[in-house]
């Protein structure tokens, strides 16, 4: 027997949970699904300094927990660690099968699956994952106590997570393709003043080398085109994100980069199907912009549901 | 917590991996959202594969030397064993239930 809801939100990051808070408060029976635990990318961000209402820094995991608690307080149900094994998002009543055993239905769905860390696609990257290569500093930083590690990237995530990793590592070398950081000025200044952080400007990684575990990182100097191998105990990769739109393939228009086109109310051309957050085509992707998308999507869904009843 | 997953200490590692049959070991950490996400899937599959595969888990923070010896540097990391020897690639990071189920089926099937 299928379980019926008014709204199913796929993805429990800031966009999905903001949508759930607004919907549940409006007495819309809301189910939120997530492959893991709530929080999206926020839950693995060591601290958040620019989310309004938190004059002191807040740990990403703590902010994520609060988002989820608030949604549950108003009656939203959050299903954690579930996998969608079958889906029909096109029909008037949308239907999802979870873990091959549970079927849920709703007339409206908000897809807020966000983005996942981009892989570099280099030799050795997959093989050394978990054996020296990581995409999550909060998860794996402690494995590198006293070690000499590298961080690939130069945006906000790369530089902020480098600062976090200095709590554990003896030395953090940032490998960045440009000759200045692409992060907020305050964060850049903090990193440049940190004695544990070194930067290899205008360098790109080329390969990950070693035996059972990662031992060396091959980099290329983009100015001189010379290549060298650096001894490394670990490499953390923060080179942007890729949208998770597998559920929507063939259903809604995607940009060449794979993001979803929506109108201003987060609607897609499929009636009752909305998207919110980082998977949308947009210029800026922040926690605040994700939360805004989730809010708008919820209000648009509420109007859609009222229209169906009328 | 399910009775089908046994938590071990690093001192018990050698005895805990069965000399005959299949086992899977989960290295987990605190402050690790993908570890938290894996836990219910691991327990559900432990129930499903009860009697066929031994499900073990070990807390990384208390098992530094073992992690180093096995070359584990990320959480969660799943290591698969048949007849006492590690088999096949490890799974690490965000692990899907279907992906894990597939690996476990191969472990008992082959």
């Amino acid at each position: 027997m299928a379980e019926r809801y008014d709204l199913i939100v796929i993805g429990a990051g800031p966009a999905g949970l903001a949508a759930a808070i607004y919907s549940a408060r409006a007495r819309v029976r809301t189910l939120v699904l997530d492959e893991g635990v709530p929080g999206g990318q926020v839950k693995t961000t060591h601290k958040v300094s620019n989310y309004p209402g938190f004059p002191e820094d807040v740990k990403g995991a703590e902010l994520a927990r609060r988002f989820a608690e608030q949604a549950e307080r108003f009656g939203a149900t959050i299903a954690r660690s579930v996998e969608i094994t079958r889906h029909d998002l096109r029909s008037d009543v949308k239907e999802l099968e979870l873990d091959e055993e549970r079927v849920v239905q709703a007339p409206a769905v908000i897809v807020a699956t966000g983005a996942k860390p981009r892989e570099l696609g280099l030799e050795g990257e997959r093989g050394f994952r978990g054996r020296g290569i990581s995409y999550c500093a909060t998860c794996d930083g402690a494995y590198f106590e006293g070690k000499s590690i590298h961080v690939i990237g130069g945006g906000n995530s790369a530089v902020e997570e480098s600062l976090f990793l200095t709590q554990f590592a003896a030395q953090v070398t940032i490998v960045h393709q440009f000759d200045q950081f692409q992060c907020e000025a305050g964060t850049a200044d903090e990193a440049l003043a940190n004695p544990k952080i070194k930067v290899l400007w205008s360098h790109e990684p080329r390969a990950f080398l070693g035996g059972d575990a990662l031992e060396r990182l091959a980099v290329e100097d983009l100015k001189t085109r010379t290549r060298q191998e650096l001894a490394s105990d670990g490499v953390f990769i923060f080179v942007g994100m890729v949208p998770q739109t597998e559920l929507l393939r063939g259903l809604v228009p995607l940009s060449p980069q794979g993001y979803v086109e929506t109108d201003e109310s987060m609607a897609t051309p499929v009636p009752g199907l909305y998207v919110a957050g980082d998977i949308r085509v947009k210029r800026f992707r922040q926690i605040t912009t994700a939360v805004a998308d989730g809010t708008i999507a919820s209000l648009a869904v509420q109007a859609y549901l009222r229209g169906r009843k009328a | 917590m399910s009775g089908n997953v046994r938590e071990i200490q690093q001192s018990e590692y050698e005895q805990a991996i069965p000399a005959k049959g299949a086992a899977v070991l989960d290295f987990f950490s605190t402050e690790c959202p993908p570890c938290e996400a894996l836990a219910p899937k691991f327990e559900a599959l432990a129930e499903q594969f009860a009697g066929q595969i031994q499900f073990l888990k070990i807390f990384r923070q208390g098992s530094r030397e073992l992690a180093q010896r096995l070359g584990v540097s990320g959480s969660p990391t799943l290591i698969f064993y048949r007849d006492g020897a590690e088999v096949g690639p490890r799974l690490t990071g965000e692990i899907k239930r279907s992906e894990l189920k597939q690996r476990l089926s191969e472990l008992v099937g082959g």
Side-chain angles (χ1 to χ4, degrees):
Chain A
M1 212 20 211
E3 297 164 48
R4 284 295 293 260
Y5 293 87
D6 299 322
L7 167 66
I8 297 170
V9 178
I10 306 174
L17 291 172
I21 290 166
Y22 271 77
S23 303
R25 263 176 68 80
R27 303 274 186 272
V28 171
R29 286 173 303 158
T30 303
L31 173 68
V32 186
L33 308 176
D34 200 281
E35 280 197 337
V37 292
Q41 293 165 54
V42 174
K43 65 179 178 276
T44 52
T45 305
H46 83 279
K47 66 170 186 181
V48 176
S49 312
N50 54 8
Y51 194 73
F54 293 87
E56 307 295 332
D57 294 338
V58 56
K59 275 189 165 185
E62 168 68 10
L63 187 59
R65 195 182 58 73
R66 290 184 181 217
F67 283 154
E69 251 182 47
Q70 196 173 354
E72 285 176 321
R73 182 185 140 211
F74 295 121
T77 304
I78 302 177
R80 295 159 166 85
S81 296
V82 292
E83 188 173 335
I84 296 170
T85 41
R86 199 171 47 74
H87 60 88
D88 167 16
L89 298 176
R90 197 189 292 274
S91 300
D92 180 51
V93 173
K94 283 99 174 76
E95 187 171 283
L96 300 162
E97 181 194 73
L98 309 177
D99 294 329
E100 295 175 331
E101 54 191 31
R102 177 177 171 195
V103 177
V104 293
Q105 294 177 334
V109 166
I110 299 174
V111 177
T113 41
K116 61 179 180 197
R118 181 183 297 282
E119 293 181 4
L120 289 160
L122 293 177
E123 175 195 336
E125 185 174 1
R126 290 257 167 104
F128 290 120
R129 195 170 179 164
R131 297 170 185 253
I133 291 182
S134 173
Y135 303 82
C136 177
T138 59
C139 305
D140 302 334
Y143 281 99
F144 299 94
E145 192 89 55
K147 307 274 188 188
S148 173
I149 61 173
H150 292 80
V151 168
I152 313 293
N156 271 322
S157 298
V159 182
E160 282 171 12
E161 299 305 311
S162 295
L163 283 163
F164 171 72
L165 288 165
T166 60
Q167 290 178 34
F168 309 102
Q171 180 158 63
V172 178
T173 305
I174 302 178
V175 178
H176 186 39
Q177 63 187 144
F178 301 118
D179 43 24
Q180 58 182 31
F181 289 133
Q182 267 61 53
C183 63
E184 286 170 3
T187 309
D189 291 346
E190 205 184 323
L192 293 171
N194 190 308
K196 283 188 172 180
I197 294 183
K198 261 183 33 181
V199 190
L200 268 183
W201 302 110
S202 306
H203 277 70
E204 272 183 357
R206 288 290 176 256
F208 300 100
L209 309 161
D212 276 345
L214 175 76
E215 290 161 14
R216 296 177 321 280
L217 164 68
V219 295
E220 182 172 327
D221 184 326
L222 299 177
K223 291 194 170 147
T224 62
R225 292 286 163 201
T226 50
R227 190 169 152 149
Q228 56 172 323
E229 288 182 12
L230 311 168
S232 187
D233 295 320
V235 177
F236 286 78
I237 300 172
F238 303 104
V239 292
M241 310 298 288
V242 280
Q244 306 208 79
T245 52
E246 293 82 0
L247 287 172
L248 298 169
R249 202 152 292 146
L251 199 59
V252 301
L254 300 181
S255 74
Q257 289 75 34
Y259 293 93
V260 185
E261 308 265 7
T262 65
D263 68 9
E264 222 177 288
S265 65
M266 310 296 144
T268 70
V270 179
L273 181 63
Y274 297 75
V275 304
D278 281 6
I279 67 165
R280 281 183 62 231
V281 171
K282 56 177 172 176
R283 181 155 172 210
F284 299 113
R285 293 189 175 81
Q286 296 289 310
I287 306 172
T288 48
T289 61
V291 163
D293 280 6
T295 307
I296 295 166
S298 167
L299 296 172
V301 163
Q302 291 171 42
Y304 174 75
L305 294 173
R306 281 194 300 272
R308 274 172 59 92
K309 280 189 192 145
Chain B
M1 210 184 82
S2 143
N4 295 312
V5 179
R6 179 160 79 101
E7 180 164 356
I8 60 167
Q9 307 298 318
Q10 60 177 351
S11 56
E12 302 169 77
Y13 172 75
E14 258 73 33
Q15 298 100 307
I17 304 299
K20 280 265 166 266
V24 55
L25 174 64
D26 170 22
F27 264 87
F28 70 99
S29 300
T30 47
E31 295 194 39
C32 168
C35 300
E36 229 182 293
L38 177 64
K41 306 176 202 178
F42 198 65
E43 292 191 357
L45 289 165
E47 208 177 308
Q48 222 171 311
F49 286 89
Q52 297 175 277
I53 301 176
Q54 284 222 31
F55 282 70
L56 306 165
K57 63 177 187 176
I58 189 161
F59 181 46
R60 181 265 149 192
Q61 275 92 332
S63 319
R64 219 185 145 88
E65 293 89 57
L66 182 66
Q68 202 142 18
R69 179 149 69 82
L70 298 177
V72 171
S73 75
S75 297
T77 290
L78 292 181
I79 307 179
F80 301 86
Y81 301 86
R82 194 184 301 123
D83 297 336
E86 182 174 349
V87 286
R90 297 174 179 185
L91 291 179
T92 177
E94 281 170 14
I95 298 165
K96 285 184 186 230
R97 183 176 163 135
S98 55
E99 180 184 21
L100 176 54
K101 194 175 162 185
Q102 165 87 25
R103 284 297 305 278
L104 296 170
S105 304
E106 287 166 13
L107 193 64
V108 285

